[in-house]
């Protein structure tokens, strides 16, 4: 298992980032990242722990889809834990990836986004740091797009 932690600051409040990126990502992500994300569908549940969602990527993306399961969610603490459980984004090297995302107040009206990822490889498979870096860059890119949208639309997700 390889564990990676990253964090970054935004000028958006934790509640708005949490609502946009976690609670409403199935609507917002395909709108904002239409060149890479085609759709996000609920396969089971409605957002509570145990919910399974499938993210479908566009033809321009190197991947077709990924399924993830919500393991824990706390709307008061702006925290979500989820696991990528299936999909070609696991690159035949990974059994699964777990994520814990937290949004903490920072400064005046901003937040600190903390993401901890744990990469669980299949037996006898070694994952390269560049594979992990690529995944980290994609996650940060998505968060930056959402932050820009929320800054441009100050009444969205209030």
């Amino acid at each position: 298992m390889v564990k990676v932690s990253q964090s970054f600051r935004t000028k958006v409040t934790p509640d708005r980032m949490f609502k946009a990126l976690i609670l409403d990502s199935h609507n917002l992500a395909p709108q904002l990242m239409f060149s890479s994300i085609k759709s996000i569908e609920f396969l089971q549940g409605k957002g509570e722990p145990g919910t399974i969602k499938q993210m479908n990527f566009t033809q321009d993306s190197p991947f077709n889809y990924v399924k993830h399961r919500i393991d824990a969610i706390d709307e008061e603490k702006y925290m979500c834990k989820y696991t990528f459980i299936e999909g070609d984004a696991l690159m035949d090297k990974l059994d699964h990836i777990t994520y814990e995302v937290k949004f903490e107040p920072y400064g005046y009206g901003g937040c600190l986004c903390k993401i901890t990822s744990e990469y669980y490889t299949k037996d006898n498979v070694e994952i390269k740091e560049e594979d992990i870096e690529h995944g980290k860059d994609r996650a940060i890119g998505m968060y930056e797009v959402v932050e820009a949208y929320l800054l441009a639309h100050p009444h969205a997700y209030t």
Side-chain angles (χ1 to χ4, degrees), residues 87-97 119-132:
D88 52 1
L90 294 173
M91 305 175 291
D92 291 329
K93 298 176 183 177
L94 296 164
D95 183 62
H96 63 281
I97 308 169
Y119 296 79
Y120 294 85
T121 58
K122 293 187 175 181
D123 290 342
N124 302 319
V125 174
E126 200 173 314
I127 188 158
K128 294 181 182 139
E129 195 165 322
E130 64 201 46
D131 292 331
I132 291 174

Coordinates of all heavy atoms in Angstrom, one line a residue, residues 87-97 119-132:
G87 N -12.8 -0.4 -12.5 CA -12.6 0.5 -13.6 C -11.2 0.5 -14.2 O -10.3 0.1 -13.5
D88 N -11.1 0.9 -15.5 CA -9.8 0.8 -16.1 C -8.9 1.9 -15.6 O -7.7 1.8 -15.8 CB -10.0 0.9 -17.7 CG -10.8 2.1 -18.2 OD1 -11.3 2.8 -17.3 OD2 -11.0 2.2 -19.4
A89 N -9.4 2.9 -14.9 CA -8.5 3.9 -14.2 C -7.6 3.2 -13.2 O -6.6 3.8 -12.7 CB -9.3 5.0 -13.6
L90 N -8.0 2.0 -12.7 CA -7.1 1.3 -11.8 C -5.9 0.6 -12.5 O -5.0 0.1 -11.9 CB -7.9 0.2 -11.0 CG -9.0 0.8 -10.1 CD1 -9.8 -0.4 -9.6 CD2 -8.4 1.6 -9.0
M91 N -5.9 0.7 -13.8 CA -4.7 0.3 -14.7 C -4.2 -1.1 -14.5 O -3.1 -1.3 -14.6 CB -3.6 1.3 -14.4 CG -3.9 2.8 -14.6 SD -2.6 3.9 -14.2 CE -2.5 3.7 -12.5
D92 N -5.1 -2.0 -14.1 CA -4.7 -3.4 -13.9 C -3.6 -3.6 -12.9 O -3.0 -4.7 -12.8 CB -4.3 -4.1 -15.3 CG -5.5 -4.3 -16.2 OD1 -6.6 -4.5 -15.7 OD2 -5.3 -4.2 -17.4
K93 N -3.2 -2.5 -12.3 CA -2.1 -2.6 -11.3 C -2.7 -2.5 -9.8 O -2.1 -3.0 -8.9 CB -1.1 -1.5 -11.4 CG -0.4 -1.5 -12.8 CD 0.4 -0.2 -12.9 CE 1.1 -0.2 -14.3 NZ 1.9 1.0 -14.4
L94 N -3.8 -1.9 -9.7 CA -4.4 -1.6 -8.4 C -5.6 -2.4 -8.1 O -6.5 -2.6 -9.0 CB -4.8 -0.1 -8.4 CG -3.6 0.9 -8.5 CD1 -4.1 2.3 -8.8 CD2 -2.8 0.9 -7.2
D95 N -5.7 -2.9 -6.9 CA -6.9 -3.6 -6.5 C -8.0 -2.5 -6.2 O -9.1 -2.7 -6.6 CB -6.6 -4.4 -5.2 CG -7.8 -5.2 -4.8 OD1 -8.3 -6.0 -5.6 OD2 -8.3 -4.9 -3.7
H96 N -7.6 -1.5 -5.4 CA -8.5 -0.4 -5.1 C -7.7 0.8 -4.6 O -6.6 0.7 -4.3 CB -9.6 -0.8 -4.2 CG -9.1 -1.2 -2.8 ND1 -8.6 -2.4 -2.5 CD2 -9.1 -0.5 -1.6 CE1 -8.2 -2.5 -1.3 NE2 -8.5 -1.3 -0.7
I97 N -8.4 2.0 -4.6 CA -7.8 3.2 -4.0 C -8.8 3.8 -3.1 O -10.0 3.9 -3.4 CB -7.5 4.2 -5.1 CG1 -6.7 3.7 -6.3 CG2 -6.8 5.4 -4.5 CD1 -6.6 4.6 -7.5
Y119 N -3.2 3.7 -2.1 CA -3.2 2.9 -3.3 C -2.9 1.4 -2.9 O -1.8 1.2 -2.4 CB -2.2 3.4 -4.3 CG -2.5 4.8 -4.8 CD1 -2.2 5.9 -4.0 CD2 -3.0 5.0 -6.0 CE1 -2.5 7.2 -4.5 CE2 -3.3 6.2 -6.5 CZ -3.1 7.3 -5.7 OH -3.4 8.6 -6.2
Y120 N -3.8 0.5 -3.1 CA -3.6 -0.9 -2.8 C -3.4 -1.6 -4.1 O -4.3 -1.8 -4.9 CB -4.8 -1.4 -2.1 CG -5.0 -0.8 -0.7 CD1 -5.7 0.3 -0.6 CD2 -4.5 -1.5 0.4 CE1 -5.9 0.9 0.7 CE2 -4.7 -0.9 1.7 CZ -5.4 0.3 1.8 OH -5.6 0.8 3.0
T121 N -2.1 -2.1 -4.3 CA -1.8 -2.8 -5.5 C -2.2 -4.3 -5.5 O -2.5 -4.9 -4.4 CB -0.3 -2.8 -5.7 OG1 0.4 -3.4 -4.6 CG2 0.2 -1.3 -5.9
K122 N -2.4 -4.8 -6.7 CA -2.6 -6.2 -6.8 C -1.3 -7.0 -6.4 O -0.2 -6.4 -6.4 CB -3.0 -6.6 -8.3 CG -4.4 -6.0 -8.6 CD -4.8 -6.5 -10.0 CE -6.2 -5.9 -10.2 NZ -6.8 -6.3 -11.5
D123 N -1.4 -8.3 -6.2 CA -0.3 -9.1 -5.8 C 0.9 -8.9 -6.7 O 0.8 -9.0 -7.9 CB -0.6 -10.6 -5.7 CG -1.6 -10.9 -4.5 OD1 -1.7 -10.0 -3.6 OD2 -2.2 -11.9 -4.6
N124 N 2.1 -8.7 -6.1 CA 3.4 -8.6 -6.8 C 3.4 -7.5 -7.9 O 4.1 -7.6 -8.8 CB 3.7 -9.9 -7.5 CG 3.8 -11.0 -6.4 OD1 4.3 -10.8 -5.3 ND2 3.3 -12.2 -6.7
V125 N 2.6 -6.5 -7.7 CA 2.6 -5.4 -8.7 C 3.2 -4.1 -8.0 O 2.8 -3.8 -6.9 CB 1.2 -5.0 -9.2 CG1 1.2 -3.8 -10.1 CG2 0.7 -6.2 -10.0
E126 N 4.1 -3.5 -8.7 CA 4.7 -2.2 -8.1 C 4.1 -1.1 -8.9 O 4.0 -1.1 -10.1 CB 6.2 -2.3 -8.3 CG 6.9 -1.3 -7.4 CD 8.4 -1.5 -7.5 OE1 8.9 -2.7 -7.4 OE2 9.1 -0.5 -7.6
I127 N 3.7 0.0 -8.1 CA 3.1 1.1 -8.8 C 4.2 2.2 -8.9 O 5.0 2.4 -7.9 CB 1.8 1.7 -8.1 CG1 1.2 2.7 -8.9 CG2 2.1 2.1 -6.7 CD1 -0.3 3.0 -8.6
K128 N 4.2 2.9 -10.0 CA 5.2 3.9 -10.2 C 4.8 5.2 -9.6 O 3.6 5.5 -9.7 CB 5.5 4.1 -11.7 CG 6.1 2.9 -12.4 CD 6.3 3.1 -13.8 CE 6.9 1.9 -14.5 NZ 6.3 1.6 -15.8
E129 N 5.7 6.0 -9.1 CA 5.4 7.3 -8.6 C 4.7 8.2 -9.6 O 3.8 9.0 -9.3 CB 6.6 8.0 -8.0 CG 6.3 9.1 -7.1 CD 7.4 9.6 -6.3 OE1 8.2 8.7 -5.8 OE2 7.6 10.8 -6.1
E130 N 5.1 8.1 -10.9 CA 4.5 8.9 -11.9 C 3.0 8.6 -12.1 O 2.2 9.5 -12.5 CB 5.3 8.7 -13.3 CG 5.2 7.3 -13.9 CD 6.3 7.0 -14.8 OE1 7.5 7.3 -14.5 OE2 6.0 6.5 -15.9
D131 N 2.6 7.3 -11.9 CA 1.2 7.0 -12.0 C 0.4 7.7 -10.9 O -0.7 8.2 -11.1 CB 1.0 5.5 -11.9 CG 1.5 4.7 -13.0 OD1 1.5 5.3 -14.2 OD2 1.9 3.5 -12.8
I132 N 1.0 7.7 -9.7 CA 0.3 8.4 -8.5 C 0.3 9.9 -8.8 O -0.7 10.6 -8.5 CB 1.1 8.0 -7.2 CG1 0.8 6.6 -6.9 CG2 0.6 8.9 -6.1 CD1 1.6 6.0 -5.7

